[in-house]
Amino acid sequence: MSQPLRQEGPGRRFDLVVVGSGSAGLFAAVKAARAGLRVAVLTKASLRECSSRYAQGGIAAAVDPGDSPRLHAADTLAAGRGLCDPEAVRTLVEEGPRRIHELVELGVRFDTQDGVLLVAREAAHSRSRVVHAGGDATGREVEELLATRAREEVELILEEHAVRRLLVADGRCRGVEAVSLRRPEVRRLEAGAVLLATGGLGRCYRYTTNPAPATGDGIWLAHQAGAEVANLEFVQFHPTALALPGAPPFLISEAVRGEGALILDDLGERFLLEADPAGELAGRDVVARAISRRMEERHLDHVWLDLRPIPAEQAKVRFPSITATCASHGIDITREPVPVAPAAHYHMGGVRTDLGAATTVAGLYAAGEVASTGVHGANRLASNSLLESLVFSARALESVMGAGESPALGELGPAEELRPEALGSAAGERIRAALRQTMWAGAGITRDQEGLEQARTQLRELAAELPELPVEPAALELRCMLGTSGLLVEAAAYREESRGAHYRRDHPAADDRFLGAVVQQRDRGLEFRPS
């Protein structure tokens, strides 16, 4: 018989509990601590393991004299294919430069020349506006700095803790219930406000650039708490992930194409020009689909990214992480092309928020990739993700501080006896592998009704093997993955058109009837809201 889990009562009360340790979560946590708030951070992995850490492309912001927020907004709206919220975009581009300078004040060392921030151009940007730190190591530089500041200033950091559920009473989120990944223990943390910053859902797909924690937990937790989620069907597939057997997830930034790198098929042909006159600088959705199509036509498991048009020394200086990673696999990027293929990379949808990062559940906020702010629409513009994390996590903190003191959670009642239902490692890995293959085949780069219906059926069958509210960490994570994946498939089946990152081969054209958001809520089901 399994041993009951030890369950603690509410204990200390915090002004803010942050769930997740990426740039959105830690930026808010550090700012909150500096503002005098009592802050706790919970993260499923270590403090530094998150998608933000692996961001190579940098942060887009209109900091160059030849650029402007107006131009940045225009590029963002164009990438979003008609589904961006113009006010959210305006907020992003106007507040973005201020957040960049705030990172500088915190200690992030962005690349400069003669004391001026260096800016680079990336695909679908009309100007050079992407700032970098350490060349292609921007995410790591920002994450390391924020993690260091959090260690110094945040009151409580709980690593290797997965949130089991959000505590909601009288329609308000009052805290979290978390499970330790190392000890038989459940902890409850009471909070004046909770900020979800759990990142994306790339690990729900067979091929992804995302690290292990990116399993869509925050979306499912918020949905189960009664919050609205929106636009879950929009998943961005990065066109150029390293495609080597046994290699860990690693994307090769489109910044290399901005510097002149080319994409070639097995015959050495530049086939992207057939899909878009911009070729290698076309939007991510166009490039990913063109690569996927060429791989299918020619029965390839990858295409080639050729960095040789970039001067060798420039490539090494500009892309040190890419150079080193490829070298570790025996590839010299200055002498030979790199095998690449598309992979799930970024989720435009998420927990629906307003301009203050508030969800539809009082006391619950969301920022970063887990949120649906309206900034990205149907397709994220390159390097807007870290900017969105900074801008809207700062806005979340402003909302929390402006909301005033919230009432205490009160008596929780006797703790339920929680017994972990051991899933077994073999069963867990089987379910996880089946889930990821199901999502890749049915809700991947190209979709149709038949594939989506098959995916829906398979996900339901897999979900039936798990308890509704698991305690064991592996089962808890799988429940979140299956729940979020099911919502995504439902939204993708509803949207009978092709727009941005959502491509339906049975509905290949955009349809103005779908100019709006697919919104899902636990007690109300799916609802379409026109723009």
Side-chain angles (χ1 to χ4, degrees):
M1 179 179 293
S2 58
Q3 183 179 2
L5 294 178
R6 184 166 66 88
Q7 181 158 327
E8 298 183 353
R12 288 177 291 171
R13 185 174 191 269
F14 295 89
D15 298 304
L16 176 66
V17 169
V18 176
V19 184
S21 61
S23 57
L26 293 186
F27 191 61
V30 170
K31 285 175 66 65
R34 291 188 167 194
L37 273 61
R38 302 186 66 191
V39 183
V41 174
L42 286 84
T43 179
K44 193 167 59 173
S46 68
L47 194 64
R48 290 174 165 85
E49 182 61 14
C50 61
S51 292
S52 297
R53 182 179 181 82
Y54 300 95
Q56 297 173 3
I59 309 177
V63 296
D64 188 75
D67 196 11
S68 70
R70 179 183 59 81
L71 292 172
H72 189 183
D75 290 344
T76 300
L77 292 168
R81 304 295 196 273
L83 294 190
C84 297
D85 177 344
E87 278 301 298
V89 172
R90 182 189 61 78
T91 298
L92 178 84
V93 300
E94 290 184 357
E95 297 184 8
R98 187 192 324 164
R99 302 307 171 199
I100 296 295
H101 291 299
E102 196 168 350
L103 284 182
V104 172
E105 292 171 359
L106 281 171
V108 174
R109 292 175 294 182
F110 288 107
D111 299 339
T112 61
Q113 184 173 17
D114 299 326
V116 178
L117 287 173
L118 282 174
V119 290
R121 184 176 175 182
E122 293 186 2
H125 286 271
S126 62
R127 295 289 189 279
S128 295
R129 66 166 61 97
V130 181
V131 297
H132 294 83
D136 58 359
T138 307
R140 185 178 69 224
E141 294 290 328
V142 172
E143 184 67 16
E144 288 286 343
L145 186 282
L146 291 176
T148 298
R149 295 288 181 266
R151 293 273 190 207
E152 296 168 348
E153 303 182 39
V154 170
E155 182 171 330
L156 176 66
I157 295 174
L158 292 177
E159 298 176 282
E160 297 185 326
H161 275 72
V163 173
R164 183 175 182 242
R165 61 182 168 185
L166 301 173
L167 300 175
V168 178
D170 301 322
R172 183 179 184 87
C173 184
R174 308 294 184 84
V176 303
E177 183 177 83
V179 178
S180 169
L181 274 61
R182 296 296 182 187
R183 297 179 299 278
E185 175 182 282
V186 171
R187 300 183 67 161
R188 283 176 169 173
L189 296 180
E190 186 180 347
V194 173
L195 173 64
L196 288 175
T198 52
L201 49 67
R203 283 284 173 160
C204 294
Y205 284 90
R206 181 177 179 183
Y207 303 107
T208 181
T209 64
N210 291 180
T215 52
D217 301 7
I219 292 173
W220 186 244
L221 290 169
H223 178 268
Q224 292 301 97
E228 292 181 351
V229 299
N231 295 327
L232 298 191
E233 64 271 33
F234 293 107
V235 179
Q236 190 172 74
F237 294 85
H238 198 286
T240 54
L242 183 63
L244 287 173
F250 184 76
L251 73 85
I252 299 181
S253 169
E254 61 196 332
V256 302
R257 288 179 274 135
E259 297 287 336
L262 305 175
I263 294 177
L264 310 173
D265 64 14
D266 57 322
L267 299 177
E269 295 180 357
R270 285 183 64 192
F271 58 92
L272 289 181
L273 293 169
E274 301 171 12
D276 192 291
E280 280 77 9
L281 294 181
R284 284 180 174 176
D285 58 323
V286 174
V287 177
R289 281 197 299 274
I291 292 175
S292 179
R293 189 179 307 116
R294 183 54 59 102
M295 288 169 57
E296 185 176 346
E297 290 170 352
R298 298 196 55 77
H299 307 290
L300 307 173
D301 56 12
H302 65 266
V303 293
W304 299 99
L305 180 63
D306 189 357
L307 285 77
R308 289 175 295 183
I310 306 173
E313 286 307 310
Q314 178 182 334
K316 292 177 181 177
V317 172
R318 180 73 176 78
F319 307 111
S321 297
I322 293 172
T323 301
T325 298
C326 289
S328 72
H329 294 288
I331 301 172
D332 182 346
I333 66 170
T334 68
R335 295 177 178 271
E336 57 192 318
V338 181
V340 295
H345 179 58
Y346 188 87
H347 192 207
M348 277 75 74
V351 185
R352 184 169 169 267
T353 66
D354 62 15
L355 293 179
T359 74
T360 53
V361 172
L364 179 63
Y365 301 83
E369 193 172 351
V370 71
S372 177
T373 62
V375 160
H376 304 305
N379 202 42
R380 174 177 69 96
L381 182 66
S383 293
N384 267 354
S385 54
L386 287 176
L387 188 71
E388 182 200 32
S389 293
L390 300 171
V391 167
F392 287 93
S393 62
R395 285 193 149 237
L397 177 58
E398 292 170 1
S399 297
V400 169
M401 296 184 70
E405 184 73 12
S406 65
L409 179 60
E411 181 59 45
L412 288 171
E416 57 182 315
E417 184 176 293
L418 300 172
R419 292 183 179 273
E421 301 183 32
L423 180 62
S425 59
E429 287 306 311
R430 175 184 56 78
I431 294 173
R432 188 180 300 266
L435 159 66
R436 299 182 74 200
Q437 176 58 32
T438 293
M439 290 298 288
W440 186 260
I445 298 172
T446 301
R447 306 162 175 177
D448 59 33
Q449 192 66 30
E450 181 181 1
L452 290 165
E453 289 300 331
Q454 289 178 353
R456 183 182 297 183
T457 298
Q458 291 163 351
L459 292 173
R460 285 174 178 167
E461 291 173 353
L462 292 172
E465 300 185 43
L466 296 175
E468 281 299 314
L469 189 59
V471 178
E472 195 225 345
L476 175 61
E477 184 176 79
L478 279 171
R479 169 57 65 188
C480 290
M481 294 174 73
L482 287 162
T484 296
S485 296
L487 292 171
L488 189 159
V489 168
E490 180 185 45
Y494 180 86
R495 185 174 287 277
E496 295 181 339
E497 67 159 353
S498 291
R499 186 182 298 274
H502 172 70
Y503 186 81
R504 292 277 300 261
R505 63 165 57 91
D506 51 348
H507 298 281
D511 187 336
D512 286 351
R513 292 182 303 148
F514 291 96
L515 281 172
V518 176
V519 179
Q520 294 157 286
Q521 192 176 20
R522 186 191 61 195
D523 295 329
R524 297 175 61 180
L526 184 149
E527 176 185 355
F528 180 73
R529 295 183 188 168
S531 299

